[in-house]
Amino acid sequence: MYKGLIDRYRKFLPVADDAEIITLNEGNTPLIPVPELAKAAGIDAKIYVKYEGLNPTGSFKDRGMTMAVTKAKEEGMKVVMCASTGNTSASAAAYAARAGMKSVVLIPDGNIALGKLAQSMIYGAKVVAVDGNFDDCLKYVRDLCQRHPIALVNSINPYRLEGQKTAAFEIVDDLEDAPDYLIIPVGNAGNISAYFMGFAQYFEAGISTKIPKLWGMQAAGAAPIVENRVFEKPETVATAIRIGNPASWEKAVAARDKSNGRIEKVTDQEILEAYKLIARTAGVFCEPASAATVAGLIKYGRDIEPGSTVVLVLTGNGLKDPDNAIKSAPEIFHVKNDIRAIEEVVL
Ligand SMILES: *Cc1c(COP(=O)(O)O)cnc(C)c1O
């Protein structure tokens, strides 16, 4: 039986032999071929999506959280805390519940997707909605965790990246080598750094023959790394990457440069088009931040060498953000309770 990513990749993870593992059997997500996207982008490449929306709380954050909460528990902590655009808080709340710990989450008031808020609430987190943005929330969390015995579980916690790197391992294990390109959304920039670490470790262990070019995608209204400046007021429909001053900025730049990759921006309009495209052509529903990768493929795909293997990381499940889905596809037919009226719209 599959027992979660710590169990599967233990020899690559800093976990004590006798540690109590806090897991929801996260990881082991499918790598789905999407030839539809090669067609849409007009390129000759084998394209796959790593559908991280199928993790237990619906995003890749669970990979980091199983590690961070296992470690917090090992260290005798009773409370975990994070700042979040939504997914980190959902994941922290779930794993804290699993561990019998308390969780406190700071979120930007009014700027998190409905599904994510519902999750944090039902898992029993203390939800604090701050009249500020993500970067403000993270500042307060750092301060509070320094002054109180509370475990900080944002991605500046190094165990988060350790857990998240296992997604790169899974991709190599599935493809039997690393892909040529990996396209990934960039917000606080932890995940692109974690993938680089994972690909590099497998390469050094002789399990893969190459490290993929990492292509990070930021939203045009929150593109600090692309423009090399802090965005004081980041704005984008892709709330999971609505971050103006990424904590792992330098790590992400190093991952980009060491992999011969690039970090680019896509507009909200391009993100929303891509969000609909992948749902309608491939049958895969991801959240807007994840669709930034699809938008990046459409926009920059002409630079991909013919015959390449490309993996897009779909970081979160579309069900997290029902409001944007409904706004993006407003066609509903309202009809009378009458067979002829129904027949008329059906045909
Ligand atoms: C957290 C998150 C991101 C951004 O990841 P970073 O590690 O902050 O760069 C992208 N998409 C989704 C769905 C997320 O939850």
Side-chain angles (χ1 to χ4, degrees):
M1 184 179 148
Y2 180 76
K3 290 193 211 143
L5 61 84
I6 294 180
D7 180 66
R8 181 167 178 195
Y9 292 113
R10 197 155 185 150
K11 67 173 190 260
F12 292 96
L13 294 169
V15 178
D17 288 342
D18 59 352
E20 179 193 348
I21 308 298
I22 310 301
T23 181
L24 287 159
N25 294 8
E26 59 296 309
N28 199 25
T29 57
L31 191 65
I32 307 171
V34 284
E36 301 84 0
L37 288 187
K39 217 176 192 183
I43 59 173
D44 164 31
K46 276 203 195 97
I47 304 184
Y48 299 85
V49 293
K50 179 70 170 160
Y51 193 18
E52 289 288 278
L54 294 184
N55 274 295
T57 77
S59 87
F60 75 84
K61 298 301 196 301
D62 295 341
R63 291 183 185 274
M65 211 53 76
T66 183
M67 279 295 297
V69 175
T70 291
K71 283 291 172 178
K73 181 95 179 175
E74 195 178 301
E75 287 158 13
M77 296 294 214
K78 303 271 188 288
V79 186
V80 303
M81 187 172 185
C82 65
S84 180
T85 60
N87 282 333
T88 301
S89 56
S91 188
Y95 283 80
R98 190 82 176 163
M101 298 166 82
K102 291 203 169 95
S103 60
V104 183
V105 305
L106 262 57
I107 56 171
D109 201 355
N111 272 300
I112 91 164
L114 195 62
K116 304 177 188 182
L117 182 63
Q119 287 180 289
S120 301
M121 293 169 72
I122 199 75
Y123 291 132
K126 181 175 280 184
V127 179
V128 185
V130 178
D131 180 18
N133 62 33
F134 170 84
D135 303 284
D136 299 323
C137 293
L138 184 56
K139 206 171 49 197
Y140 299 131
V141 168
R142 282 184 197 253
D143 182 38
L144 288 166
C145 290
Q146 217 153 44
R147 289 193 288 114
H148 303 280
I150 303 176
L152 188 160
V153 295
N154 279 103
S155 58
I156 48 178
N157 175 328
Y159 298 120
R160 281 276 310 277
L161 301 198
E162 290 286 338
Q164 287 169 212
K165 77 184 178 189
T166 60
F169 295 166
E170 289 177 11
I171 290 170
V172 176
D173 288 344
D174 282 352
L175 295 175
E176 298 179 328
D177 200 351
D180 299 299
Y181 299 84
L182 183 102
I183 312 183
I184 181 168
V186 174
N188 214 21
N191 211 26
I192 189 172
S193 312
Y195 270 81
F196 181 75
M197 178 162 61
F199 284 123
Q201 286 182 3
Y202 254 30
F203 177 70
E204 279 152 27
I207 299 169
S208 60
T209 66
K210 59 194 163 195
I211 292 176
K213 296 182 173 66
L214 300 185
W215 284 17
M217 293 298 148
Q218 298 202 292
I225 300 178
V226 180
E227 298 193 6
N228 199 25
R229 66 180 174 92
V230 170
F231 276 53
E232 297 292 345
K233 293 202 168 70
E235 243 351 303
T236 170
V237 66
T239 49
I241 52 172
R242 186 174 173 270
I243 292 174
N245 189 10
S248 297
W249 192 321
E250 281 158 32
K251 280 200 189 91
V253 167
R256 176 194 69 192
D257 295 345
K258 287 187 190 158
S259 74
N260 278 317
R262 60 204 281 188
I263 298 182
E264 304 284 358
K265 57 186 177 182
V266 286
T267 65
D268 277 9
Q269 198 189 337
E270 289 163 341
I271 289 172
L272 289 174
E273 284 303 317
Y275 173 61
K276 285 188 279 189
L277 175 78
I278 183 162
R280 289 175 185 196
T281 62
V284 177
F285 186 23
C286 63
E287 63 173 283
S290 310
T293 60
V294 180
L297 178 79
I298 302 289
K299 194 168 182 178
Y300 303 104
R302 61 177 184 278
D303 297 339
I304 287 174
E305 288 207 28
S308 296
T309 299
V310 183
V311 173
L312 276 58
V313 183
L314 299 185
T315 44
N317 196 304
L319 291 170
K320 295 266 193 180
D321 193 352
D323 292 326
N324 267 312
I326 290 167
K327 259 190 255 163
S328 300
E331 291 155 45
I332 284 193
F333 298 91
H334 297 276
V335 295
K336 282 204 207 92
N337 186 357
D338 170 69
I339 184 66
R340 262 173 310 197
I342 296 168
E343 202 166 11
E344 206 162 288
V345 297
V346 168
L347 297 178

